[in-house]
Amino acid sequence: MAGLTLTSLGGAGTVTGSKHLLEHDGSRILIDCGLFQGQKNLRELNWKPLPVEAPSIDAVILTHAHLDHTGYLPRLIREGFTGPIICTEATRDVAELILTDSAWLQEQEAAFLNRIKKSKHSPALPLYDSRDAQRALDAFITYPFNEPLQTPKGATVQFRRAGHILGAATVDIHWGDRRIVFSGDLGRYGDPVMIDPAPVREADYVVIESTYGDRLHDASHTAETLADVVERTIRRGGTVLIPSFAVGRAQTLLYHLWSLRRSGRLPAVPIYLDSPMAINASDLLHAHPHDHRLDPQTCEAVCNIATYTRDPEESKRISRNSEPKIVISASGMATGGRILHHLKAFGPDEPNTILLAGFQAAGTRGRALLEGAHDLKIHGDWIPIKAEVANLPGLSAHADAAELMRWLSGFRQAPEKVFIVHGEPQAADTFRARIDRDLAWQAVVPRQNQVFTL
């Protein structure tokens, strides 16, 4: 195939499953390789073959390590992909945590379905296993920020900081005579932990996320809102339960809790970080000091604000403990992990609070809570939710609509086209209209598997 084409195999019309395929003269590079999450019709896409055969893909380039950008890699390996997986150093380290955990969860779910004999398939099989995850990790090649690298197929790639989480990058690809820039997930400007997204000056085409393309964050009162929630919950003798993304969000929560305690606003109650992955991700703050704003002393103090619980028995004791406390546990959308046991324990009691601290995708328990659900189905049972449900939208690690526009304003001249991905339909189309109105740039929201010639 002559020329350059772009096809979104995922992350189009949804915030999950990011996979963007570039093809040039018969060669193929995949930007991100994420897992679909949320609604069942999306999750089922993980089991369907990609429109292109895995062995035909020459390389994968990652913007960052979150599951919706990396979680399909072990399946791609299982299907025959043998090329390099290119990313920043911190992305590789975070991906090791996420892919190892994801494979373990896939294996556990298959084993559980086989035990209760409720699978449509006999036996139930994992999407991939730990061996596939390790084979994927063995294929990683890391490169520093701001240094051009040459891929085996002649594309020049450069990573720039995107904020968001450790290692997150925008990806600038010059292939043939075309230059295309992928935003990945852009972080916040002025975030207390993560570094600001770096500007990009030139591009023929831009592929930009739109998670919050129709909304603005009110970050000015984040700490105050967090303090208010904790104070009123503790005052009535309850527990504050925070479903949190293990990588990025958990560490930002620890920072705000540390700041509140230092200022005297935080009640003297125990704080638990009950997520082995979040604990390991917090350790990575020390390993990658140039990827965040915290100096070594502050980093140490922030990480020491909580009691870390790795052992499952310790986690169960937290659920049985009725004393006031703060519990941070994964997953952030309550789709799995230890948070489910805590929701069963603390959700039915009015003195407690469930504090949502990030984006909640459609079809997740977190979205159901956000929309006022009075019960949740957990481990096959309907659990009544009588605890207060509060929201902390200003804590998001994603740029809001104004911040996305701020990043776009860094380009010196209009690109030929802007592709808007990684957003639910309303957010993506609202952002498309804003680009048209404020910048007069041509923008489009791709459909999944729609092919664009660049």
Side-chain angles (χ1 to χ4, degrees):
M1 180 185 296
L4 183 66
T5 64
L6 168 69
T7 310
S8 291
L9 309 181
T14 176
V15 295
T16 69
S18 288
K19 302 179 193 72
H20 307 291
L21 183 70
L22 289 179
E23 298 184 72
H24 176 65
D25 288 342
S27 298
R28 289 172 169 158
I29 295 176
L30 192 64
I31 315 304
D32 286 337
C33 189
L35 205 64
F36 286 101
Q37 300 166 282
Q39 294 174 330
K40 184 177 181 181
N41 65 320
L42 287 174
R43 299 196 310 272
E44 288 175 343
L45 293 176
N46 294 319
W47 293 90
K48 294 186 177 180
L50 292 178
V52 297
E53 294 183 354
S56 73
I57 298 171
D58 297 290
V60 176
I61 301 173
L62 300 179
T63 61
H64 67 290
H66 272 152
L67 194 67
D68 59 327
H69 293 257
T70 64
Y72 192 82
L73 282 169
R75 182 71 180 192
L76 194 72
I77 291 283
R78 175 175 279 202
E79 296 294 326
F81 171 73
T82 58
I85 299 169
I86 302 168
C87 63
T88 66
E89 184 179 356
T91 290
R92 195 271 174 208
D93 288 350
V94 177
E96 182 171 8
L97 302 181
I98 287 177
L99 295 182
T100 300
D101 181 73
S102 178
W104 183 83
L105 290 173
Q106 297 282 347
E107 292 168 334
Q108 291 298 304
E109 182 178 2
F112 174 73
L113 290 173
N114 287 325
R115 279 198 306 274
I116 65 174
K117 301 186 185 303
K118 284 192 175 181
S119 174
K120 296 178 182 177
H121 309 282
S122 184
L125 298 174
L127 184 67
Y128 49 80
D129 59 26
S130 298
R131 289 170 297 180
D132 300 319
Q134 187 56 54
R135 288 172 61 207
L137 291 166
D138 290 342
F140 275 59
I141 298 174
T142 63
Y143 282 88
F145 287 100
N146 304 315
E147 292 186 16
L149 63 100
Q150 198 80 15
T151 72
K153 294 300 178 179
T156 301
V157 178
Q158 187 167 346
F159 295 121
R160 295 182 179 86
R161 296 193 184 277
H164 190 57
I165 66 168
L166 291 175
T170 61
V171 175
D172 183 342
I173 300 179
H174 195 167
W175 206 6
D177 61 352
R178 304 275 80 184
R179 185 174 176 184
I180 181 167
V181 172
F182 294 81
S183 74
D185 286 1
L186 291 172
R188 312 291 307 282
Y189 291 91
D191 185 88
V193 177
M194 297 308 303
I195 297 169
D196 285 356
V200 185
R201 300 304 183 193
E202 307 287 343
D204 297 307
Y205 299 92
V206 175
V207 180
I208 187 170
E209 67 128 321
S210 59
T211 310
Y212 288 102
D214 59 346
R215 277 162 282 181
L216 300 177
H217 300 315
D218 183 6
S220 59
H221 303 298
T222 295
E224 191 69 26
T225 301
L226 178 59
D228 289 345
V229 169
V230 172
E231 285 174 344
R232 67 174 178 262
T233 305
I234 302 306
R235 194 162 49 239
R236 61 184 182 238
T239 288
V240 179
L241 179 61
I242 310 178
S244 174
F245 301 105
V247 179
R249 193 65 37 80
Q251 292 73 44
T252 301
L253 281 163
L254 293 179
Y255 172 85
H256 283 292
L257 291 170
W258 169 79
S259 296
L260 289 170
R261 179 155 287 175
R262 190 176 61 157
S263 67
R265 283 296 311 275
L266 191 69
V269 296
I271 301 169
Y272 296 98
L273 183 61
D274 187 34
S275 164
M277 190 196 302
I279 294 168
N280 291 334
S282 298
D283 291 342
L284 288 180
L285 287 173
H286 300 286
H288 297 281
H290 301 298
D291 279 48
H292 58 82
R293 296 182 189 273
L294 304 182
D295 62 67
Q297 293 76 22
T298 302
C299 186
E300 186 74 22
V302 167
C303 292
N304 287 340
I305 192 71
T307 298
Y308 291 178
T309 54
R310 294 182 185 271
D311 186 77
E313 290 304 315
E314 293 176 332
S315 179
K316 292 175 184 177
R317 283 196 289 272
I318 292 172
S319 285
R320 292 194 297 265
N321 179 2
S322 60
E323 295 298 314
K325 56 193 168 298
I326 300 167
V327 181
I328 304 169
S329 187
S331 67
M333 299 186 206
T335 54
R338 293 181 180 181
I339 191 66
L340 298 184
H341 299 280
H342 296 314
L343 283 170
K344 290 167 71 173
F346 299 115
D349 295 329
E350 291 181 5
N352 303 323
T353 298
I354 302 166
L355 179 58
L356 302 172
F359 183 80
Q360 306 297 325
T364 64
R365 294 182 185 89
R367 175 65 75 89
L369 288 168
L370 192 63
E371 294 176 348
H374 297 295
D375 47 27
L376 292 177
K377 192 174 185 180
I378 303 175
H379 301 144
D381 298 319
W382 285 99
I383 306 301
I385 301 298
K386 296 182 181 179
E388 176 188 352
V389 177
N391 190 23
L392 201 61
L395 201 64
S396 174
H398 283 272
D400 66 11
E403 291 167 319
L404 293 171
M405 292 297 291
R406 176 175 171 179
W407 184 76
L408 285 176
S409 71
F411 290 92
R412 293 194 179 100
Q413 61 186 30
E416 293 182 32
K417 189 173 289 185
V418 177
F419 299 96
I420 301 168
V421 299
H422 200 285
E424 292 180 354
Q426 178 177 327
D429 197 59
T430 299
F431 190 53
R432 178 201 59 77
R434 181 165 182 175
I435 292 173
D436 177 59
R437 182 188 70 232
D438 294 357
L439 298 176
W441 292 2
Q442 186 179 359
V444 62
V445 180
R447 299 186 304 275
Q448 186 163 316
N449 300 329
Q450 184 178 4
V451 180
F452 295 89
T453 300
L454 308 182

